[in-house]
């Protein structure tokens, strides 16, 4: 489960990086809290799916 969450986390970073592609120069800088938003959200999608599978 830990490895799956790590993959989901990194996928979230990849998505964020992809979404930032059209943003120009100086606007590409953001704090760690923003950087972790997409990756944490991605983890939560997996956690929610697992909980639903186990509980329901
Ligand atoms: Zn991260």
């Amino acid at each position: 489960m830990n490895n799956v969450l790590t993959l989901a986390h990194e996928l979230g970073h990849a998505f964020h990086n992809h979404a930032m592609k059209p943003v120009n120069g100086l606007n590409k800088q953001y704090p760690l809290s923003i950087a972790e938003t997409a990756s944490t959200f991605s983890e939560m999608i997996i956690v929610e799916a697992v909980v639903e599978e186990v509980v329901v």
Side-chain angles (χ1 to χ4, degrees):
M1 187 63 196
N2 214 25
N3 292 339
V4 170
L5 288 178
T6 299
L7 272 176
H9 185 97
E10 298 309 326
L11 181 65
H13 280 304
F15 172 76
H16 184 218
N17 197 42
H18 177 73
M20 291 292 288
K21 238 178 179 175
V23 177
N24 59 17
L26 293 174
N27 291 329
K28 280 194 177 183
Q29 296 188 343
Y30 43 83
L32 187 63
S33 55
I34 297 297
E36 294 304 318
T37 300
S39 52
T40 304
F41 180 72
S42 185
E43 281 184 53
M44 291 302 102
I45 291 172
I46 299 298
V47 168
E48 198 169 293
V50 168
V51 167
E52 196 168 301
E53 190 70 32
V54 171
V55 175
V56 176

